[in-house]
Amino acid sequence: MSITAPAGFRAAGVTAGLKASGKPDLALVVNDGPQHVGAAVFTSNRVVGAPVTWSRQVVADGVVNAVVLNSGGANVATGPEGFGHAHATAERAADLLGISAADVVVCSTGLIGVPLAADRLLAGLDVAAAALGTDGGEAAATAIMTTDTVAKTTHVPGAGWSVGGMAKGAGMLAPALATMLVVLTTDAVVDAATADAALRDAVGTTFDRIDSDGCMSTSDTVVLMSSGASGITPTPEDFAEAVRSACATLARALIADAEGSTHDIAVEVVGATDTGAAVAVARAVTRSNLFKAAMFGNDPNWGRIIAQVGTVPEDVAPFDPARLDVSINGLLICRAGGAHEDPAQLDLAADREVHVRIDLHAGDAAATVWTNDLSHAYVHENSAYST
Amino acid sequence: MSITAPAGFRAAGVTAGLKASGKPDLALVVNDGPQHVGAAVFTSNRVVGAPVTWSRQVVADGVVNAVVLNSGGANVATGPEGFGHAHATAERAADLLGISAADVVVCSTGLIGVPLAADRLLAGLDVAAAALGTDGGEAAATAIMTTDTVAKTTHVPGAGWSVGGMAKGAGMLAPALATMLVVLTTDAVVDAATADAALRDAVGTTFDRIDSDGCMSTSDTVVLMSSGASGITPTPEDFAEAVRSACATLARALIADAEGSTHDIAVEVVGATDTGAAVAVARAVTRSNLFKAAMFGNDPNWGRIIAQVGTVPEDVAPFDPARLDVSINGLLICRAGGAHEDPAQLDLAADREVHVRIDLHAGDAAATVWTNDLSHAYVHENSAYST
């Protein structure tokens, strides 16, 4: 059950020949309406791919009719020619579908600085358009995979309407800068403002809280389309919750499939003065190579955790270092800033998932950021990706 | 030529038994005067070791008579007992030297959260005091080594006076949070304010611009002592330059000895609006695991460089992404934000040192931050350190 589970959507995934492997590399998702509401969130990187520049314009009016996604080339740092390729992609899709190019979002993933094989992509679009079907969601999810080991899809049912989704990438999965592409579909009747608000809220507490390797992509795109085909208008709260649930499932799936990783690590910060403080502390820990390497070694090295906590400025996260508690998988190994239970009681090798809980004892706010461990396989893959 | 090269200093390095290996692990450096000016810079981490808490009080009055340094235990997250151990260390050194404990700086390095073997340390101090000599600089530099492969020392001659120095640690060298300990000595006649200003300026452009793995220590300490034994008062400018030179040499030596690394990487940012912007951009690149892994693979992946440049907020570093130039070892592989010379012309495997130059084309300011590559050996060492 994927992006074609909600009514009003067709999708396809085909091989355009962009990948040397010959695996599927081009996906097309079409919203057949009756409504064509669209919203999207893009990377906050100042260096962005041509598809991001193009697609920002597309979504500005809240209307999206289709999304074209390719793997096998990011179309980033490719200059005016690259923008031309993104534009031509939208034009060809529009011609094939009888819609306006200004309503076609384009997403690309792969190496940076390499020209897109635009001829192959455009020819592939003809094949994709012919292959469109209301059962094409899985094929589309497969075509956007890079080093993902499984296609990632989700479906959240509502009362007579639903939200579908697919995702690729994240962290070690996507050595070319952790590129994450996500398409969400719904047949709920929602207006553009409601869709935009629901998507931004959902991304802020899901995709924005996974951090596999700290590297921000130039191509991250999360796009939501509503067909309204169910004829049902959910409450904004119900709709937002369904979108959040779909994003949470996909975000968790990205971490779980992070290639080269041996652990999924939840860093939960509680007792913070506000959510921003909790996120800042959690993110500091998830970005520590020393902590992540220790996790790879199944070493519950809490010293590396509190040292990272201490790097967060006091105006960002007020707390007293002498009151810090740290638990791993429920065992309180650091209490009031010092050693407590014996970490040797922990067997981190037993499970893929590790739960780190840090109590700042400064307030009532909490947040969780997910990351992976730093492994030999991560170094290997990322030292050998483009050469 | 080390910390005992300037007149008025004695030092010793002995085995106290803190390290399981039986290697030297305790150093003592004494300023015999006639003046006892001291200045120090400490980690900005909010979680600090007991020795940092103690030593901040010691240097507050600008007077330092001696420094005790141990490897084999960081004395961090050890609570009131740990502070007691730092205090007792200073008291024992003071008794042995006939000085005040309030003038004894204490530095410790090793694992966090493990109680210091204070009895051994105190007994070792007796041995160290007996071994003090004006030729003890090398022994002291050896005793503060952890996984360093060479003792790191320097000596910068002035006109009748000089600056000596020793250092341990940094990045992969010091898996327990990159702890860096540095002692500088001089026989120049300087007052406390001049010494403090010179040291802060020097640290800001040297030790603050090496970043082997992005992890801030809980124990970093750089301490400068002046004996005034030369009787010569240099100009503040000459003195500051000598201190800066000594710090620059030691900082470069820390990067060069970063265990597990195969490359020393200078990330130079030019064309910035101000120095802060240049440092922010350089630091963003030096903290990218994807870039560092590519360097390990001798892969001149400039896409990962510009993607990191793009993560720096515009209010921190104004620049136009479409004007970015990137050179590696003098070859302009990215011009105006796009591919230029063929990176295949580069043979990064040929040299340990790699020079990345990023031109923002936004102003006249420049800065260089040094880092290392991300290697299998880094992951291995840091996943196996405490267990």
Side-chain angles (χ1 to χ4, degrees), chain A residues 167-214:
Chain A
K168 67 116 335 209
M172 303 170 197
L173 271 178
L177 299 160
T179 304
M180 181 186 80
L181 302 181
V182 177
V183 177
L184 299 166
T185 56
T186 183
D187 51 5
V189 177
V190 292
D191 59 29
T194 302
D196 186 70
L199 186 63
R200 285 179 196 285
D201 282 357
V203 169
T205 57
T206 57
F207 297 118
D208 281 353
R209 294 194 187 163
I210 59 174
D211 190 340
S212 186
D213 63 3

mmCIF file of all heavy atoms in Angstrom, chain A residues 167-214:
data_model
loop_
_atom_site.group_PDB
_atom_site.id
_atom_site.type_symbol
_atom_site.label_atom_id
_atom_site.label_comp_id
_atom_site.label_asym_id
_atom_site.label_seq_id
_atom_site.Cartn_x
_atom_site.Cartn_y
_atom_site.Cartn_z
ATOM 1 N N ALA A 167 9.332 6.842 0.063
ATOM 2 C CA ALA A 167 10.542 7.597 0.388
ATOM 3 C C ALA A 167 11.760 6.840 -0.085
ATOM 4 O O ALA A 167 11.739 5.610 -0.214
ATOM 5 C CB ALA A 167 10.635 7.836 1.899
ATOM 6 N N LYS A 168 12.815 7.597 -0.364
ATOM 7 C CA LYS A 168 14.118 6.988 -0.623
ATOM 8 C C LYS A 168 15.168 7.741 0.177
ATOM 9 O O LYS A 168 15.020 8.916 0.464
ATOM 10 C CB LYS A 168 14.477 7.030 -2.097
ATOM 11 C CG LYS A 168 14.711 8.405 -2.633
ATOM 12 C CD LYS A 168 16.095 8.781 -3.150
ATOM 13 C CE LYS A 168 17.240 8.029 -2.595
ATOM 14 N NZ LYS A 168 18.473 8.887 -2.600
ATOM 15 N N GLY A 169 16.244 7.026 0.503
ATOM 16 C CA GLY A 169 17.437 7.696 0.981
ATOM 17 C C GLY A 169 17.587 7.854 2.467
ATOM 18 O O GLY A 169 16.938 7.174 3.247
ATOM 19 N N ALA A 170 18.470 8.770 2.829
ATOM 20 C CA ALA A 170 18.866 9.163 4.176
ATOM 21 C C ALA A 170 20.169 8.529 4.585
ATOM 22 O O ALA A 170 20.366 7.330 4.519
ATOM 23 C CB ALA A 170 17.823 8.872 5.241
ATOM 24 N N GLY A 171 21.039 9.414 5.025
ATOM 25 C CA GLY A 171 22.280 9.019 5.672
ATOM 26 C C GLY A 171 23.114 8.066 4.864
ATOM 27 O O GLY A 171 23.382 8.293 3.699
ATOM 28 N N MET A 172 23.508 6.997 5.494
ATOM 29 C CA MET A 172 24.434 6.074 4.857
ATOM 30 C C MET A 172 23.819 5.434 3.609
ATOM 31 O O MET A 172 24.517 4.939 2.755
ATOM 32 C CB MET A 172 24.815 4.999 5.848
ATOM 33 C CG MET A 172 25.418 5.603 7.101
ATOM 34 S SD MET A 172 25.620 4.385 8.386
ATOM 35 C CE MET A 172 25.825 5.456 9.808
ATOM 36 N N LEU A 173 22.515 5.425 3.589
ATOM 37 C CA LEU A 173 21.812 4.928 2.416
ATOM 38 C C LEU A 173 22.162 5.684 1.168
ATOM 39 O O LEU A 173 22.125 5.151 0.080
ATOM 40 C CB LEU A 173 20.307 5.156 2.612
ATOM 41 C CG LEU A 173 19.546 4.082 3.290
ATOM 42 C CD1 LEU A 173 18.120 4.525 3.434
ATOM 43 C CD2 LEU A 173 19.640 2.808 2.506
ATOM 44 N N ALA A 174 22.418 6.950 1.320
ATOM 45 C CA ALA A 174 22.556 7.826 0.164
ATOM 46 C C ALA A 174 23.857 8.601 0.277
ATOM 47 O O ALA A 174 23.872 9.734 0.715
ATOM 48 C CB ALA A 174 21.382 8.790 0.108
ATOM 49 N N PRO A 175 24.932 7.941 -0.105
ATOM 50 C CA PRO A 175 26.238 8.570 0.110
ATOM 51 C C PRO A 175 26.370 9.934 -0.528
ATOM 52 O O PRO A 175 27.125 10.760 -0.064
ATOM 53 C CB PRO A 175 27.192 7.581 -0.544
ATOM 54 C CG PRO A 175 26.483 6.274 -0.466
ATOM 55 C CD PRO A 175 25.038 6.614 -0.676
ATOM 56 N N ALA A 176 25.640 10.179 -1.606
ATOM 57 C CA ALA A 176 25.720 11.501 -2.201
ATOM 58 C C ALA A 176 24.849 12.463 -1.429
ATOM 59 O O ALA A 176 23.845 12.949 -1.920
ATOM 60 C CB ALA A 176 25.328 11.469 -3.665
ATOM 61 N N LEU A 177 25.239 12.694 -0.195
ATOM 62 C CA LEU A 177 24.658 13.754 0.623
ATOM 63 C C LEU A 177 23.281 13.451 1.181
ATOM 64 O O LEU A 177 22.484 14.348 1.385
ATOM 65 C CB LEU A 177 24.642 15.049 -0.158
ATOM 66 C CG LEU A 177 26.064 15.456 -0.514
ATOM 67 C CD1 LEU A 177 26.085 16.407 -1.650
ATOM 68 C CD2 LEU A 177 26.753 15.994 0.700
ATOM 69 N N ALA A 178 23.064 12.200 1.492
ATOM 70 C CA ALA A 178 21.879 11.848 2.272
ATOM 71 C C ALA A 178 20.602 12.314 1.618
ATOM 72 O O ALA A 178 19.624 12.607 2.280
ATOM 73 C CB ALA A 178 21.982 12.424 3.676
ATOM 74 N N THR A 179 20.589 12.378 0.312
ATOM 75 C CA THR A 179 19.412 12.895 -0.365
ATOM 76 C C THR A 179 18.164 12.099 0.003
ATOM 77 O O THR A 179 18.146 10.876 -0.078
ATOM 78 C CB THR A 179 19.594 12.841 -1.876
ATOM 79 O OG1 THR A 179 20.776 13.566 -2.193
ATOM 80 C CG2 THR A 179 18.419 13.478 -2.585
ATOM 81 N N MET A 180 17.144 12.812 0.395
ATOM 82 C CA MET A 180 15.893 12.202 0.800
ATOM 83 C C MET A 180 14.784 12.740 -0.095
ATOM 84 O O MET A 180 14.566 13.938 -0.183
ATOM 85 C CB MET A 180 15.624 12.590 2.251
ATOM 86 C CG MET A 180 14.375 12.027 2.848
ATOM 87 S SD MET A 180 14.154 12.752 4.487
ATOM 88 C CE MET A 180 13.462 14.328 3.989
ATOM 89 N N LEU A 181 14.088 11.859 -0.783
ATOM 90 C CA LEU A 181 12.944 12.256 -1.603
ATOM 91 C C LEU A 181 11.718 11.533 -1.080
ATOM 92 O O LEU A 181 11.751 10.319 -0.863
ATOM 93 C CB LEU A 181 13.169 11.892 -3.073
ATOM 94 C CG LEU A 181 14.417 12.482 -3.746
ATOM 95 C CD1 LEU A 181 14.481 12.039 -5.202
ATOM 96 C CD2 LEU A 181 14.432 13.995 -3.659
ATOM 97 N N VAL A 182 10.639 12.281 -0.877
ATOM 98 C CA VAL A 182 9.411 11.709 -0.332
ATOM 99 C C VAL A 182 8.226 12.259 -1.111
ATOM 100 O O VAL A 182 8.152 13.463 -1.368
ATOM 101 C CB VAL A 182 9.243 12.067 1.163
ATOM 102 C CG1 VAL A 182 7.924 11.523 1.694
ATOM 103 C CG2 VAL A 182 10.417 11.528 1.975
ATOM 104 N N VAL A 183 7.319 11.363 -1.496
ATOM 105 C CA VAL A 183 6.050 11.777 -2.089
ATOM 106 C C VAL A 183 4.926 11.249 -1.212
ATOM 107 O O VAL A 183 4.917 10.067 -0.851
ATOM 108 C CB VAL A 183 5.885 11.235 -3.523
ATOM 109 C CG1 VAL A 183 4.509 11.620 -4.080
ATOM 110 C CG2 VAL A 183 6.981 11.768 -4.431
ATOM 111 N N LEU A 184 4.008 12.143 -0.851
ATOM 112 C CA LEU A 184 2.821 11.775 -0.089
ATOM 113 C C LEU A 184 1.592 12.087 -0.933
ATOM 114 O O LEU A 184 1.556 13.101 -1.648
ATOM 115 C CB LEU A 184 2.752 12.574 1.217
ATOM 116 C CG LEU A 184 3.913 12.362 2.189
ATOM 117 C CD1 LEU A 184 3.893 13.458 3.249
ATOM 118 C CD2 LEU A 184 3.834 10.992 2.839
ATOM 119 N N THR A 185 0.602 11.215 -0.868
ATOM 120 C CA THR A 185 -0.639 11.430 -1.614
ATOM 121 C C THR A 185 -1.816 11.292 -0.660
ATOM 122 O O THR A 185 -1.741 10.572 0.342
ATOM 123 C CB THR A 185 -0.802 10.379 -2.724
ATOM 124 O OG1 THR A 185 -0.730 9.074 -2.132
ATOM 125 C CG2 THR A 185 0.292 10.503 -3.776
ATOM 126 N N THR A 186 -2.888 11.990 -0.977
ATOM 127 C CA THR A 186 -4.107 11.805 -0.190
ATOM 128 C C THR A 186 -5.324 12.087 -1.058
ATOM 129 O O THR A 186 -5.258 12.911 -1.979
ATOM 130 C CB THR A 186 -4.154 12.710 1.059
ATOM 131 O OG1 THR A 186 -5.351 12.418 1.798
ATOM 132 C CG2 THR A 186 -4.180 14.187 0.679
ATOM 133 N N ASP A 187 -6.407 11.372 -0.774
ATOM 134 C CA ASP A 187 -7.666 11.654 -1.451
ATOM 135 C C ASP A 187 -8.611 12.455 -0.565
ATOM 136 O O ASP A 187 -9.770 12.664 -0.909
ATOM 137 C CB ASP A 187 -8.330 10.358 -1.940
ATOM 138 C CG ASP A 187 -8.437 9.307 -0.840
ATOM 139 O OD1 ASP A 187 -8.084 9.613 0.321
ATOM 140 O OD2 ASP A 187 -8.864 8.182 -1.149
ATOM 141 N N ALA A 188 -8.102 12.905 0.561
ATOM 142 C CA ALA A 188 -8.902 13.791 1.404
ATOM 143 C C ALA A 188 -9.082 15.124 0.689
ATOM 144 O O ALA A 188 -8.240 15.540 -0.093
ATOM 145 C CB ALA A 188 -8.207 14.012 2.746
ATOM 146 N N VAL A 189 -10.190 15.779 0.977
ATOM 147 C CA VAL A 189 -10.396 17.120 0.435
ATOM 148 C C VAL A 189 -9.760 18.115 1.405
ATOM 149 O O VAL A 189 -10.186 18.242 2.551
ATOM 150 C CB VAL A 189 -11.913 17.425 0.276
ATOM 151 C CG1 VAL A 189 -12.105 18.854 -0.220
ATOM 152 C CG2 VAL A 189 -12.560 16.418 -0.668
ATOM 153 N N VAL A 190 -8.688 18.753 0.955
ATOM 154 C CA VAL A 190 -8.029 19.757 1.792
ATOM 155 C C VAL A 190 -7.647 20.942 0.906
ATOM 156 O O VAL A 190 -7.393 20.777 -0.289
ATOM 157 C CB VAL A 190 -6.748 19.214 2.474
ATOM 158 C CG1 VAL A 190 -7.098 18.172 3.512
ATOM 159 C CG2 VAL A 190 -5.770 18.655 1.457
ATOM 160 N N ASP A 191 -7.588 22.124 1.512
ATOM 161 C CA ASP A 191 -7.122 23.270 0.732
ATOM 162 C C ASP A 191 -5.593 23.368 0.863
ATOM 163 O O ASP A 191 -4.962 22.669 1.646
ATOM 164 C CB ASP A 191 -7.829 24.552 1.173
ATOM 165 C CG ASP A 191 -7.606 24.869 2.644
ATOM 166 O OD1 ASP A 191 -6.555 24.485 3.195
ATOM 167 O OD2 ASP A 191 -8.496 25.497 3.245
ATOM 168 N N ALA A 192 -5.043 24.231 0.042
ATOM 169 C CA ALA A 192 -3.585 24.319 -0.025
ATOM 170 C C ALA A 192 -2.974 24.745 1.308
ATOM 171 O O ALA A 192 -1.924 24.246 1.715
ATOM 172 C CB ALA A 192 -3.174 25.284 -1.136
ATOM 173 N N ALA A 193 -3.629 25.645 1.990
ATOM 174 C CA ALA A 193 -3.081 26.133 3.263
ATOM 175 C C ALA A 193 -3.070 25.023 4.312
ATOM 176 O O ALA A 193 -2.105 24.867 5.069
ATOM 177 C CB ALA A 193 -3.889 27.329 3.764
ATOM 178 N N THR A 194 -4.144 24.236 4.348
ATOM 179 C CA THR A 194 -4.210 23.123 5.297
ATOM 180 C C THR A 194 -3.148 22.075 4.968
ATOM 181 O O THR A 194 -2.485 21.539 5.861
ATOM 182 C CB THR A 194 -5.615 22.484 5.256
ATOM 183 O OG1 THR A 194 -6.584 23.481 5.556
ATOM 184 C CG2 THR A 194 -5.719 21.341 6.250
ATOM 185 N N ALA A 195 -3.007 21.786 3.668
ATOM 186 C CA ALA A 195 -2.001 20.812 3.257
ATOM 187 C C ALA A 195 -0.601 21.287 3.627
ATOM 188 O O ALA A 195 0.217 20.530 4.154
ATOM 189 C CB ALA A 195 -2.094 20.581 1.747
ATOM 190 N N ASP A 196 -0.330 22.559 3.361
ATOM 191 C CA ASP A 196 0.992 23.114 3.649
ATOM 192 C C ASP A 196 1.289 23.082 5.140
ATOM 193 O O ASP A 196 2.376 22.672 5.574
ATOM 194 C CB ASP A 196 1.068 24.546 3.116
ATOM 195 C CG ASP A 196 2.449 25.135 3.254
ATOM 196 O OD1 ASP A 196 3.355 24.684 2.516
ATOM 197 O OD2 ASP A 196 2.656 26.012 4.107
ATOM 198 N N ALA A 197 0.318 23.493 5.938
ATOM 199 C CA ALA A 197 0.526 23.512 7.391
ATOM 200 C C ALA A 197 0.742 22.103 7.931
ATOM 201 O O ALA A 197 1.626 21.865 8.758
ATOM 202 C CB ALA A 197 -0.668 24.176 8.070
ATOM 203 N N ALA A 198 -0.073 21.164 7.459
ATOM 204 C CA ALA A 198 0.065 19.780 7.937
ATOM 205 C C ALA A 198 1.434 19.213 7.560
ATOM 206 O O ALA A 198 2.088 18.540 8.364
ATOM 207 C CB ALA A 198 -1.052 18.919 7.341
ATOM 208 N N LEU A 199 1.878 19.500 6.325
ATOM 209 C CA LEU A 199 3.154 18.957 5.877
ATOM 210 C C LEU A 199 4.317 19.558 6.664
ATOM 211 O O LEU A 199 5.216 18.840 7.112
ATOM 212 C CB LEU A 199 3.330 19.232 4.380
ATOM 213 C CG LEU A 199 4.571 18.583 3.764
ATOM 214 C CD1 LEU A 199 4.503 17.065 3.856
ATOM 215 C CD2 LEU A 199 4.750 19.023 2.314
ATOM 216 N N ARG A 200 4.307 20.875 6.845
ATOM 217 C CA ARG A 200 5.409 21.510 7.580
ATOM 218 C C ARG A 200 5.485 21.019 9.027
ATOM 219 O O ARG A 200 6.565 20.745 9.551
ATOM 220 C CB ARG A 200 5.268 23.034 7.550
ATOM 221 C CG ARG A 200 5.655 23.585 6.216
ATOM 222 C CD ARG A 200 5.536 25.084 6.040
ATOM 223 N NE ARG A 200 5.574 25.330 4.615
ATOM 224 C CZ ARG A 200 6.700 25.253 3.886
ATOM 225 N NH1 ARG A 200 7.849 25.019 4.470
ATOM 226 N NH2 ARG A 200 6.652 25.433 2.588
ATOM 227 N N ASP A 201 4.334 20.908 9.661
ATOM 228 C CA ASP A 201 4.326 20.394 11.035
ATOM 229 C C ASP A 201 4.873 18.973 11.078
ATOM 230 O O ASP A 201 5.665 18.622 11.954
ATOM 231 C CB ASP A 201 2.896 20.385 11.593
ATOM 232 C CG ASP A 201 2.449 21.768 12.038
ATOM 233 O OD1 ASP A 201 3.274 22.703 11.957
ATOM 234 O OD2 ASP A 201 1.289 21.905 12.453
ATOM 235 N N ALA A 202 4.435 18.169 10.130
ATOM 236 C CA ALA A 202 4.853 16.764 10.130
ATOM 237 C C ALA A 202 6.356 16.633 9.888
ATOM 238 O O ALA A 202 7.052 15.893 10.584
ATOM 239 C CB ALA A 202 4.070 15.992 9.070
ATOM 240 N N VAL A 203 6.865 17.364 8.893
ATOM 241 C CA VAL A 203 8.296 17.284 8.577
ATOM 242 C C VAL A 203 9.132 17.744 9.776
ATOM 243 O O VAL A 203 10.160 17.152 10.107
ATOM 244 C CB VAL A 203 8.614 18.123 7.322
ATOM 245 C CG1 VAL A 203 10.128 18.260 7.137
ATOM 246 C CG2 VAL A 203 7.987 17.474 6.087
ATOM 247 N N GLY A 204 8.661 18.789 10.444
ATOM 248 C CA GLY A 204 9.429 19.356 11.555
ATOM 249 C C GLY A 204 9.662 18.387 12.693
ATOM 250 O O GLY A 204 10.667 18.493 13.417
ATOM 251 N N THR A 205 8.735 17.442 12.876
ATOM 252 C CA THR A 205 8.899 16.516 14.001
ATOM 253 C C THR A 205 9.255 15.102 13.548
ATOM 254 O O THR A 205 9.317 14.190 14.374
ATOM 255 C CB THR A 205 7.616 16.454 14.854
ATOM 256 O OG1 THR A 205 6.524 16.082 14.016
ATOM 257 C CG2 THR A 205 7.344 17.797 15.502
ATOM 258 N N THR A 206 9.477 14.904 12.248
ATOM 259 C CA THR A 206 9.822 13.552 11.769
ATOM 260 C C THR A 206 11.121 13.586 10.955
ATOM 261 O O THR A 206 12.179 13.290 11.479
ATOM 262 C CB THR A 206 8.674 12.963 10.927
ATOM 263 O OG1 THR A 206 8.387 13.833 9.827
ATOM 264 C CG2 THR A 206 7.428 12.772 11.767
ATOM 265 N N PHE A 207 11.035 14.014 9.697
ATOM 266 C CA PHE A 207 12.240 14.017 8.863
ATOM 267 C C PHE A 207 13.314 14.958 9.411
ATOM 268 O O PHE A 207 14.504 14.694 9.280
ATOM 269 C CB PHE A 207 11.888 14.381 7.420
ATOM 270 C CG PHE A 207 10.974 13.394 6.769
ATOM 271 C CD1 PHE A 207 9.717 13.756 6.338
ATOM 272 C CD2 PHE A 207 11.371 12.067 6.606
ATOM 273 C CE1 PHE A 207 8.868 12.839 5.738
ATOM 274 C CE2 PHE A 207 10.520 11.135 6.012
ATOM 275 C CZ PHE A 207 9.264 11.523 5.575
ATOM 276 N N ASP A 208 12.888 16.050 10.019
ATOM 277 C CA ASP A 208 13.862 16.976 10.603
ATOM 278 C C ASP A 208 14.507 16.399 11.863
ATOM 279 O O ASP A 208 15.439 17.003 12.402
ATOM 280 C CB ASP A 208 13.206 18.318 10.946
ATOM 281 C CG ASP A 208 13.029 19.203 9.724
ATOM 282 O OD1 ASP A 208 13.536 18.824 8.650
ATOM 283 O OD2 ASP A 208 12.389 20.257 9.845
ATOM 284 N N ARG A 209 14.031 15.257 12.338
ATOM 285 C CA ARG A 209 14.610 14.676 13.552
ATOM 286 C C ARG A 209 15.242 13.322 13.293
ATOM 287 O O ARG A 209 15.383 12.499 14.206
ATOM 288 C CB ARG A 209 13.561 14.618 14.661
ATOM 289 C CG ARG A 209 13.175 16.026 15.084
ATOM 290 C CD ARG A 209 12.419 16.087 16.368
ATOM 291 N NE ARG A 209 11.943 17.459 16.599
ATOM 292 C CZ ARG A 209 10.988 17.778 17.449
ATOM 293 N NH1 ARG A 209 10.405 16.835 18.162
ATOM 294 N NH2 ARG A 209 10.616 19.033 17.606
ATOM 295 N N ILE A 210 15.592 13.081 12.036
ATOM 296 C CA ILE A 210 16.515 11.978 11.766
ATOM 297 C C ILE A 210 17.787 12.606 11.229
ATOM 298 O O ILE A 210 17.751 13.595 10.495
ATOM 299 C CB ILE A 210 15.952 10.920 10.783
ATOM 300 C CG1 ILE A 210 15.588 11.542 9.438
ATOM 301 C CG2 ILE A 210 14.750 10.213 11.403
ATOM 302 C CD1 ILE A 210 15.168 10.506 8.394
ATOM 303 N N ASP A 211 18.899 12.074 11.657
ATOM 304 C CA ASP A 211 20.184 12.686 11.321
ATOM 305 C C ASP A 211 21.201 11.568 11.282
ATOM 306 O O ASP A 211 21.892 11.294 12.247
ATOM 307 C CB ASP A 211 20.549 13.723 12.378
ATOM 308 C CG ASP A 211 21.747 14.564 11.968
ATOM 309 O OD1 ASP A 211 22.519 14.123 11.090
ATOM 310 O OD2 ASP A 211 21.920 15.660 12.530
ATOM 311 N N SER A 212 21.264 10.910 10.137
ATOM 312 C CA SER A 212 22.127 9.740 10.078
ATOM 313 C C SER A 212 23.591 10.116 10.092
ATOM 314 O O SER A 212 24.394 9.510 10.783
ATOM 315 C CB SER A 212 21.804 8.914 8.832
ATOM 316 O OG SER A 212 22.532 7.727 8.830
ATOM 317 N N ASP A 213 23.980 11.147 9.335
ATOM 318 C CA ASP A 213 25.405 11.507 9.317
ATOM 319 C C ASP A 213 25.668 13.007 9.316
ATOM 320 O O ASP A 213 26.789 13.426 9.039
ATOM 321 C CB ASP A 213 26.123 10.833 8.142
ATOM 322 C CG ASP A 213 25.585 11.290 6.795
ATOM 323 O OD1 ASP A 213 24.697 12.167 6.770
ATOM 324 O OD2 ASP A 213 26.039 10.784 5.773
ATOM 325 N N GLY A 214 24.667 13.798 9.646
ATOM 326 C CA GLY A 214 24.900 15.229 9.826
ATOM 327 C C GLY A 214 25.087 16.010 8.542
ATOM 328 O O GLY A 214 25.335 17.210 8.584
#
